Amino acid sequence: MSTLIQGEHYDDLVYTTVEFGYLFDIDEHGFEALFKMITDKGTFYFAAQKKSLITLDFNEELFKMTTESFLDLHEVDR
């Protein structure tokens, strides 16, 4: 939440939601996640690896494609 700026990314967080494309704790690698935050001002995309958080310049199509590719790579049943 601290990466979002009030007035720029949101006005009110009351109805903010988070949706994960994936969230894994990979042995000997650590956490890895792709997620988006949906606020009253838009949708913002993020990737997390180990202890790093990266803001992504994604759209919904790229979010879905990246999620599918990652899940296929790690042979996750859906």
Side-chain angles (χ1 to χ4, degrees), residues 36-50:
K36 61 184 174 181
M37 296 181 73
I38 304 163
T39 72
D40 57 348
K41 289 216 176 218
T43 303
F44 305 94
Y45 299 90
F46 301 90
Q49 287 185 321
K50 298 181 183 179

Side-chain angles (χ1 to χ4, degrees), residues 7-76:
E8 182 179 335
H9 298 112
Y10 68 92
D11 287 324
D12 190 346
L13 292 174
V14 171
Y15 298 106
T16 297
T17 60
V18 176
E19 182 180 319
F20 284 87
Y22 56 81
L23 173 61
F24 286 96
D25 183 6
I26 302 169
D27 290 340
E28 298 181 28
H29 176 75
F31 285 102
E32 188 158 331
L34 179 69
F35 64 98
K36 61 184 174 181
M37 296 181 73
I38 304 163
T39 72
D40 57 348
K41 289 216 176 218
T43 303
F44 305 94
Y45 299 90
F46 301 90
Q49 287 185 321
K50 298 181 183 179
K51 294 182 181 184
S52 297
L53 179 65
I54 303 163
T55 304
L56 302 172
D57 186 18
F58 267 30
N59 59 32
E60 190 61 23
E61 182 179 350
L62 189 52
F63 179 79
K64 288 179 181 177
M65 287 174 41
T66 304
T67 297
E68 290 296 320
S69 295
F70 188 88
L71 295 176
D72 288 344
L73 177 67
H74 292 281
E75 300 177 353
V76 174

